[in-house]
Amino acid sequence: MTAAASPQRRIPVGVLGATGAVGQTFIRLLADHPWFEVAAVAASERSSGKRYRDAAHWLSGDMPSRVGDLIVTVCDPAEVPASIVFSALDSDAAQEVEAAFARAGKLVLSNARNFRMDADVPLLIPEVNPDHLALLPIQRAARNWSGAIVTNSNCSTMVIALALAPLHQAFGVEQLFVTTLQALSGAGYPGVPSLDILGNIIPFIGGGEEEKIESEPLKILGTFERGAVTPACMRVSAQVNRVAVEHGHTACMSVKLATAATPEEATHALRSWTGAIAELALPSAPAQPVIVTTERDRPQPRRDVNAGNGMSVVVGRVRADPMLDLRLVAMGHNTIRGAAGASILNAELMFARGLLAI
Ligand code: NAP
């Protein structure tokens, strides 16, 4: 494999749900993207017809001025003049809207939970399971649509799956017990009321968060064979908490391995892992998808959330576990690695593989 060639001109893309927390992260990350250019922004009827700068309650830094002048449309394929759309839609809207775009021949790169676990839909992490893109012709044939849906995982799943992948490949992961501490931006905007979360921890996140963490890693770490993904043989128990952190989901994990490994062997496996797409040098791919810290009090969201431009997962406190085999703590940026940045990396991989019809 060699570094992927760039497109001759920037490829126009649309952003669905462009006004929300993840939608804004797409707008920010795509503003200076070398391959993609935002040509259309869409959201609900509450926002449509307004200029983007008036419709979006902008959350971070300066809004890219060119996008600020775009008029927000409804999420109708006829209104979005782009064959590639990034979806940051609320799951209530995503089911119908994303299917309509795929039916209309568009490639949908989705952050919503709706299609993730469908057998014919890739739940993609380029460094981990790029071969799952082979589901696309099967999806198109089964659903009789010319477009496609490619999903990325739940934001905590992303942190967990990236930290587990090197261990699973080296030793096999049989059991995972995980407790998460999830940032406020993971709840979207306006999210959790301030009086509920300031000085507090809420040991519940709706929308099936624990179930997603217990199921999605099995598909991601599963094997593509004979036209289907066979899930990894792994049991996961998850407990989730919302905490008063702005960005960055932390996952405290205990892991049982198929082949015993010392903390030093596990650290070596994590540190030497470069993932499946390193040679492609994709624009959003971090030099190290997993960064290992040996400082005894890291990773911390405030200090580590922007590692690898928000695209690396930082792992620390790798040590023996008195009940299972290993303990470790992983942390990653939920709206970048866990959402918009992940979708953009998926699109980059698809371009590099010649899978973007443009
Ligand atoms: P959010 O801030 O609440 O934004 C939701 C977006 O969906 C807004 O643009 C909203 O538009 C639009 N929308 C809502 N109902 C709609 C409808 N009926 N038709 C068209 N558009 C509609 O949520 P978020 O945190 O950005 O999350 C977006 C998606 O990404 C969700 O599916 C979420 O589960 C997933 N996700 C989020 C994160 C994260 O860290 N936040 C991470 C991974 C995945 P209006 O402004 O016009 O209402």
Side-chain angles (χ1 to χ4, degrees):
M1 242 188 319
T2 51
S6 303
Q8 288 181 340
R9 58 175 179 84
R10 287 169 84 195
I11 300 165
V13 298
V15 180
L16 311 180
T19 49
V22 174
Q24 293 187 25
T25 310
F26 273 119
I27 300 300
R28 214 158 39 79
L29 296 177
L30 290 168
D32 298 313
H33 195 280
W35 294 3
F36 304 123
E37 179 173 47
V38 176
V41 285
S44 77
E45 286 178 355
R46 292 179 289 275
S47 306
S48 69
K50 297 179 185 168
R51 287 194 315 166
Y52 182 74
R53 71 175 74 259
D54 300 323
H57 178 88
W58 191 254
L59 293 168
S60 172
D62 293 329
M63 177 186 290
S65 59
R66 195 186 61 77
V67 175
D69 290 333
L70 294 177
I71 301 296
V72 179
T73 68
V74 290
C75 292
D76 178 335
E79 301 282 332
V80 178
S83 57
I84 297 157
V85 291
F86 293 105
S87 170
L89 284 172
D90 195 87
S91 58
D92 289 346
Q95 187 78 27
E96 280 183 28
V97 170
E98 292 180 356
F101 274 75
R103 213 174 295 119
K106 298 179 191 275
L107 170 66
V108 183
L109 295 130
S110 171
N111 280 279
R113 68 169 182 259
N114 307 64
F115 291 96
R116 284 181 194 146
M117 295 305 292
D118 287 10
D120 57 355
V121 174
L123 180 51
L124 189 64
I125 302 181
E127 295 96 330
V128 178
N129 61 0
D131 54 323
H132 291 199
L133 281 172
L135 287 171
L136 290 182
I138 296 162
Q139 181 190 128
R140 289 193 172 107
R143 301 188 189 235
N144 195 26
W145 58 30
S146 53
I149 297 177
V150 172
T151 61
N152 44 266
S153 74
N154 163 271
C155 36
S156 289
T157 300
M158 180 65 74
V159 173
I160 293 163
L162 271 168
L164 284 188
L167 300 177
H168 190 58
Q169 289 168 13
F171 313 111
V173 173
E174 291 185 337
Q175 291 178 27
L176 167 69
F177 182 85
V178 57
T179 300
T180 67
L181 308 162
Q182 301 189 202
L184 286 171
S185 59
Y189 186 82
V192 186
S194 56
L195 287 182
D196 285 342
I197 194 67
L198 273 175
N200 202 13
I201 293 172
I202 301 175
F204 174 76
I205 297 175
E209 192 76 3
E210 289 174 348
E211 291 78 4
K212 285 184 255 182
I213 295 170
E214 289 173 355
S215 59
E216 292 177 13
L218 280 58
K219 180 172 178 182
I220 292 164
L221 298 172
T223 325
F224 181 81
E225 50 199 358
R226 292 187 293 281
V229 174
T230 304
C233 193
M234 184 186 298
R235 290 171 65 207
V236 182
S237 167
Q239 301 192 65
V240 299
N241 299 278
R242 185 71 71 196
V243 297
V245 163
E246 186 183 8
H247 301 298
H249 289 354
T250 299
C252 302
M253 302 191 266
S254 291
V255 177
K256 182 172 185 345
L257 301 171
T259 304
T262 63
E264 292 71 30
E265 289 166 335
T267 299
H268 176 73
L270 288 158
R271 198 165 262 156
S272 57
W273 190 80
T274 53
I277 55 154
E279 293 87 347
L280 289 175
L282 298 174
S284 302
Q288 284 176 270
V290 176
I291 294 172
V292 181
T293 170
T294 49
E295 290 185 54
R296 65 181 187 176
D297 60 356
R298 305 280 278 273
Q300 296 178 19
R302 185 181 297 162
R303 292 183 167 79
D304 299 309
V305 74
N306 290 316
N309 292 326
M311 288 295 284
S312 295
V313 164
V314 183
V315 171
R317 306 214 65 215
V318 182
R319 60 216 193 276
D321 184 274
M323 291 179 69
L324 303 181
D325 289 311
L326 287 174
R327 281 179 288 191
L328 58 152
V329 179
M331 194 280 308
H333 200 303
N334 50 293
T335 62
I336 299 180
R337 182 77 232 203
S343 270
I344 294 169
L345 186 60
N346 288 350
E348 293 169 1
L349 173 65
M350 292 185 71
F351 175 79
R353 291 269 174 95
L355 295 172
L356 294 189
I358 45 172

